[in-house]
Amino acid sequence: MAVKFAGTMNAINRGLDQTKPAKGADMIEDWEAALADVEVSGAKGILRDLASLRKQLEKDEPDADRVHALLHRLGAATTKIADKSDKQQEKLKALGEALTEAGEEEADEEEDVEAAAAPKRARKKS
């Protein structure tokens, strides 16, 4: 796993915008494989976000806002599970912090009061 840490940290340190999306998708596939058998609380959420990030990077035009939000969420989740790791605690914390800094926290969506008052889905008649 040391190679994955080094490659990912190098990409972050160089600037993720300097990393080709296809290379980023390859790194994510490596992380997905490494995390597939991890039985730590929070790992499944990380895998879900990694899959979403990989799908974004595989698009012709990734949604930059979505990518930044996913990076931020992945960073926070990685930092959180670092304490549960026996071997890679410091590397996971560093990776989590770097991902959090590389991303942007997604602002809570404002409630659309007008749409909530008039939903488009049909209500079941009793």
Side-chain angles (χ1 to χ4, degrees):
M1 197 173 292
V3 173
K4 288 175 189 53
F5 279 118
T8 304
M9 289 302 291
N10 286 339
I12 292 170
N13 290 334
R14 277 192 310 270
L16 289 176
D17 54 338
Q18 301 298 314
T19 303
K20 293 181 180 176
K23 178 64 177 166
D26 288 345
M27 284 192 282
I28 290 169
E29 286 177 5
D30 289 343
W31 280 107
E32 288 173 319
L35 289 170
D37 297 325
V38 173
E39 296 293 327
V40 175
S41 175
K44 298 252 187 277
I46 291 173
L47 280 169
R48 243 187 338 269
D49 284 344
L50 282 171
S52 295
L53 182 58
R54 181 177 39 77
K55 287 176 185 172
Q56 281 295 324
L57 296 178
E58 290 171 342
K59 290 181 176 183
D60 289 336
E61 293 186 36
D63 179 343
D65 291 337
R66 180 79 176 126
V67 168
H68 283 110
L70 286 164
L71 288 172
H72 185 83
R73 222 168 48 209
L74 282 164
T78 301
T79 303
K80 196 176 204 177
I81 70 164
D83 292 332
K84 300 172 188 171
S85 172
D86 294 336
K87 300 175 184 176
Q88 306 288 345
Q89 204 171 44
E90 290 305 313
K91 288 182 179 181
L92 279 171
K93 278 186 181 180
L95 176 62
E97 290 167 2
L99 286 169
T100 301
E101 288 177 22
E104 293 177 16
E105 189 169 10
E106 197 170 46
D108 289 337
E109 292 182 36
E110 290 184 29
E111 182 181 2
D112 186 341
V113 178
E114 189 175 319
K120 289 187 177 183
R121 67 181 177 274
R123 292 185 181 163
K124 291 183 180 179
K125 295 182 181 180
S126 344

